[in-house]
Amino acid sequence: MFSWLGTDDRRKKDPEVFQTVSDGLKKLYKTKLLPLEEHYKFHEFHSPALEDADFDNKPMVLLVGQYSTGKTSFIRYLLEQDFPGMRIGPEPTTDSFIAVMHGDTEGLIPGNALVVDPKKPFRKLNAFGNAFLNRFVCAQLPNPVLESISVIDTPGILSGEKQRISRGYDFAAVLEWFAERVDRIILLFDAHKLDISDEFSEVIKALKNHEDKIRVVLNKADQIETQQLMRVYGALMWSLGKIVNTPEVIRVYIGSFWSHPLLIPDNRKLFEAEEQDLFKDIQSLPRNAALRKLNDLIKRARLAKVHAYIISSLKKEMPSVFGKEGKKKELINSLGEIYSRIEREHQISPGDFPNLKKMQEQLNAHDLNKFQPLKIKLLDSVDDMLAHDIAGLMVLVRQEETNRPQKVVKGGAFDGTLNGPFGHGYGEGAGEGIDEAEWVVARDKPMYDEIFYTLSPVNGKVTGANAKKEMLKSKLPNTVLGKIWKLADIDKDGMLDDEEFALANHLIKVKLEGHELPADLPGHLIPPSKRKIPAE
């Protein structure tokens, strides 16, 4: 009796099994989320339906900034070669959206051809019309960097109402479309032009809900002195704080991302460290791509659920015969109250609701009587996906990460600092003396020997207790000193001879100068007399 209840219950408890994360995302979207989106006209209000290419495409990086901030030069710097359609200059040169992607031969694909290619994730851009498509191209070229990621170059953002009108398409809406689908959004600022124009402010606000993808680059920082750079950095953080409504501070990378000599080289080390951090962030994108797509699907599902509650609430309030127009205006004006009621009734976070003003504008163009009432079955299906199927995919993400070789972006500028003397931190800190025939610690050993012989060595060695008293004078934490002891006590006898003591003091000096300690003792730091002893 009631066996159908048990079957349905089992279906909800057992999540679907998928072979790959990509296949799982496609199937979950088509079978569970898409029906809800279509039923409540989600695509007319928020974002077009997703296609297979959206789940299969390589990670994408979107570059956004005012004109002449170095967006195109940044791409040229990463690729270490020119790409088709590239124009660089102090005036607003890039007047198109350029998707820089991998291809066997160099060439340009115009926008109208791009949006009919099922293998490219751009088909839904068709909705923005010819004015946009005439300003959209794909630059293809064989480049090792593009084997792992694609880069989207955008037109320079201008100030003034005239430029905004003359575009002929909704610039902020196009950027919002890309923001939903890319893995990283890089906002570029010029150290000489920090003013955030009205259109740029509007664009940054359009990127709301994608703050986790945003990174900020303060470019051309080699053109100003250190003191001025500090002021510029502070002013940028203040400006961003007014526009980006998050309590967390956005990560800002400072540097000069082009291949020309530094004009003011005072901050070279800072620029190198910042560049290395940014490159690591970009290089991690292929590894985290599946997790990002999963995260974006969850965000989309939450918005689709809220949208369904809003649409069904409006439908419920609409009269069936008389006074439709008057009621429609009343409902749109009181949309904020409807948001609050839905928030209370369904325990939904305020951050999950769409922008109130934008939603009111869109509702004006719709017939509220044609909206659908609440269909619990569709919402239950999405809830089931979020509660069970997504958890199964999370496990699959980890399995794919473990089983596949580590994916990182290679080639171009990413290979320039990997090995050799121009690698970040080469010959500094624990790496000092790596190329020298003489043991680097020997330079200061006479000074360390004087201290060593005041510690009452027995048979040429000082005890741990005596060495500890001296090492504590550095004021380093015990955890750090413990690691230094482990690295310096090469023969693991619990005591230090004169060479090991000198090595311990050298490592203390390295740490006090602000460098990190190595996980294992590098070969060039092992005392010459102990180089046959295998370090544990």
Side-chain angles (χ1 to χ4, degrees), residues 42 46 208-209 298-307 310 339 343 346-355:
F42 178 87
H46 303 290
K208 186 177 180 287
N209 299 327
I298 294 168
K299 280 200 284 190
R300 189 180 178 99
R302 290 165 71 99
L303 179 60
K305 274 182 63 184
V306 171
H307 179 76
I310 294 167
Y339 274 19
E343 185 186 326
H346 301 283
Q347 288 82 51
I348 295 170
S349 166
D352 287 348
F353 285 82
N355 180 275

Side-chain angles (χ1 to χ4, degrees), residues 232-397:
V232 166
Y233 179 80
L236 175 60
M237 297 302 288
W238 181 80
S239 299
L240 286 172
K242 287 171 64 181
I243 299 170
V244 183
N245 296 317
T246 56
E248 299 84 12
V249 176
I250 286 183
R251 176 69 163 97
V252 176
Y253 299 90
I254 304 170
S256 181
F257 295 91
W258 65 346
S259 52
H260 293 256
L262 298 176
L263 290 179
I264 301 172
D266 299 4
N267 297 305
R268 185 186 188 102
K269 281 194 176 183
L270 170 67
F271 299 159
E272 286 174 358
E274 293 284 281
E275 180 183 280
Q276 203 68 21
D277 286 351
L278 180 60
F279 280 7
K280 281 179 185 173
D281 185 67
I282 295 172
Q283 284 182 301
S284 71
L285 295 180
R287 189 169 65 247
N288 300 324
L291 204 55
R292 193 276 304 167
K293 286 169 186 170
L294 189 64
N295 184 52
D296 282 357
L297 188 71
I298 294 168
K299 280 200 284 190
R300 189 180 178 99
R302 290 165 71 99
L303 179 60
K305 274 182 63 184
V306 171
H307 179 76
Y309 285 128
I310 294 167
I311 296 300
S312 58
S313 292
L314 292 169
K315 168 67 176 176
K316 188 178 176 183
E317 298 287 335
M318 281 297 287
S320 54
V321 185
F322 300 111
K324 291 181 183 178
E325 278 305 310
K327 188 64 175 175
K328 176 182 173 179
K329 287 179 183 175
E330 182 189 323
L331 287 172
I332 291 173
N333 289 334
S334 62
L335 189 61
E337 294 168 24
I338 294 171
Y339 274 19
S340 300
R341 191 178 72 238
I342 293 170
E343 185 186 326
R344 287 193 307 272
E345 287 178 5
H346 301 283
Q347 288 82 51
I348 295 170
S349 166
D352 287 348
F353 285 82
N355 180 275
L356 180 64
K357 189 178 176 184
K358 188 178 175 185
M359 192 71 177
Q360 286 172 324
E361 288 172 4
Q362 289 172 316
L363 285 169
N364 276 315
H366 284 80
D367 183 351
L368 305 195
N369 276 97
K370 291 184 178 177
F371 287 170
Q372 298 294 330
L374 196 63
K375 197 171 181 180
I376 297 297
K377 189 178 176 184
L378 289 174
L379 286 161
D380 283 349
S381 182
V382 173
D383 284 335
D384 180 44
M385 177 188 87
L386 293 170
H388 301 101
D389 299 313
I390 293 294
L393 277 181
M394 282 293 292
V395 174
L396 197 55
V397 167

